[in-house]
Amino acid sequence: MHEDIIESIAYEKGLTKYKANYSREEIITARTNEIVMNWVQDNHPEIIEQMRKLVEDNTSEEDSE
């Protein structure tokens, strides 16, 4: 919600050139994912570290260019 307000103000003041339009389903999915990730971080932070290590091990330097 906070981010939406900031984005709206920035858009109205011309601080951003583009406004993203997300479907209701995309917003629901994003917010659900955020809630799940926050819960995992709070209750099982070791899982976040394991996933980060997995991504690091499977991401090459070329992918970051």
Side-chain angles (χ1 to χ4, degrees), residues 33-55:
N33 290 343
E34 182 179 11
I35 291 166
V36 170
M37 288 299 295
N38 288 337
W39 184 88
V40 171
Q41 181 66 46
D42 291 345
N43 295 286
H44 298 283
E46 71 280 2
I47 298 296
I48 301 294
E49 289 302 316
Q50 290 172 4
M51 292 299 103
R52 181 176 176 84
K53 175 91 169 91
L54 179 70
V55 171

Side-chain angles (χ1 to χ4, degrees), residues 1-3 6 9-10 12-13 15 17 22 24 26-28 30 35 38 40 42-43 47 51 54 56 58 65:
M1 182 71 143
H2 176 76
E3 292 83 12
I6 291 173
I9 292 169
E12 288 175 14
K13 290 187 174 191
L15 300 175
K17 287 185 173 184
Y22 298 104
R24 183 173 188 272
E26 289 171 319
I27 292 169
I28 290 168
I35 291 166
N38 288 337
V40 171
D42 291 345
N43 295 286
I47 298 296
M51 292 299 103
L54 179 70
E56 285 176 352
N58 290 292
E65 293 178 358

